[in-house]
Amino acid sequence: MTQSVKTTAERIKGGVIAGLFTASCAFALIPAANADTMDSAAATTVTETVDRTIAALEDSNITDAEAERIIEMVDVDKVAQFSLGNHWADLSDAQKSDYLDAFHTYAKQQLREHLSGFSQASVEVTDVVSRGPKDTIVETQVTTDDDRQTVSWRLIDGGIVDIQVQDVWFAIEQRAQFDALLDQNGGDIDALIADIKS
């Protein structure tokens, strides 16, 4: 029997944002004073992710089409491959396809599960840090009635690949969880695929 996959929300108690896709919940984005000096493309991607989620939550119900529009801003395949680590190279082409399909479904499930319960917050883009020609960190300040914290978004090649909340990067945490699951089930990728589909 495999251990079920735990979301970052289950591991980060009391956080404003639950997992990769909850980081784009019902936010009102406030431009930072120094926005004109930032990497505008990266900041725009974060802003668009927020805007799409606000639109999806207007009726408190995220449809499959709305979930797809939000996930379009995330490089889901890159996150999925990183989460599998060195195990990715050992997969057959058929297993890679099955895993990516399962991870995409998993991502949409996480989005639906965690977004609807969050009240509206405000997000201020505070900085954009270039880590290389294609690697950028967008730093934001998330404020609700009860909390205020920094959330960082990592983008590679223009797509969101990771989000840091309370010093925890989601994709890195997800990779550790998947490694543990594969260790427990003897590296059976099919068991992992079944687990993240459930």
Side-chain angles (χ1 to χ4, degrees):
M1 179 176 179
T2 62
Q3 173 187 341
S4 61
V5 177
K6 291 184 178 179
T7 65
T8 302
E10 294 172 307
R11 293 179 175 270
I12 304 175
K13 302 295 185 182
V16 171
I17 300 182
L20 176 60
F21 303 101
T22 59
S24 55
C25 63
F27 294 156
L29 195 68
I30 302 172
N34 61 340
D36 57 339
T37 66
M38 298 177 182
D39 180 331
S40 60
T44 297
T45 297
V46 172
T47 303
E48 179 65 20
T49 303
V50 168
D51 289 345
R52 291 184 184 195
T53 308
I54 291 171
L57 288 170
E58 284 181 356
D59 61 358
S60 301
N61 178 45
I62 300 174
T63 67
D64 192 66
E66 289 169 336
E68 287 287 355
R69 275 184 49 77
I70 297 167
I71 287 175
E72 283 174 0
M73 308 306 293
V74 178
D75 193 336
V76 178
D77 285 359
K78 193 168 287 184
V79 176
Q81 290 178 42
F82 177 84
S83 296
L84 204 55
N86 293 332
H87 300 285
W88 173 257
D90 299 329
L91 271 57
S92 67
D93 288 344
Q95 286 176 319
K96 286 178 180 178
S97 179
D98 288 346
Y99 170 72
L100 291 175
D101 287 346
F103 196 93
H104 193 93
T105 300
Y106 170 72
K108 289 195 295 183
Q109 289 170 343
Q110 293 303 302
L111 186 149
R112 284 198 184 91
E113 180 179 346
H114 297 297
L115 288 188
S116 60
F118 284 81
S119 59
Q120 193 171 51
S122 65
V123 175
E124 179 183 359
V125 176
T126 56
D127 200 4
V128 175
V129 180
S130 177
R131 294 164 49 96
K134 300 180 180 181
D135 190 352
T136 307
I137 303 291
V138 177
E139 295 181 356
T140 61
Q141 194 70 221
V142 181
T143 305
T144 66
D145 290 341
D146 302 320
D147 195 17
R148 180 178 174 86
Q149 63 180 294
T150 299
V151 176
S152 300
W153 311 59
R154 186 177 182 190
L155 295 87
I156 294 179
D157 293 328
I160 298 168
V161 297
D162 209 352
I163 296 174
Q164 183 187 49
V165 183
Q166 296 182 356
D167 297 323
V168 175
W169 286 98
F170 168 79
I172 294 172
E173 176 74 2
Q174 193 71 69
R175 182 170 178 165
Q177 292 178 37
F178 283 9
D179 277 343
L181 286 167
L182 287 167
D183 285 345
Q184 290 172 11
N185 64 24
D188 186 349
I189 186 63
D190 293 323
L192 176 64
I193 290 170
D195 198 14
I196 64 177
K197 277 183 177 177
S198 63

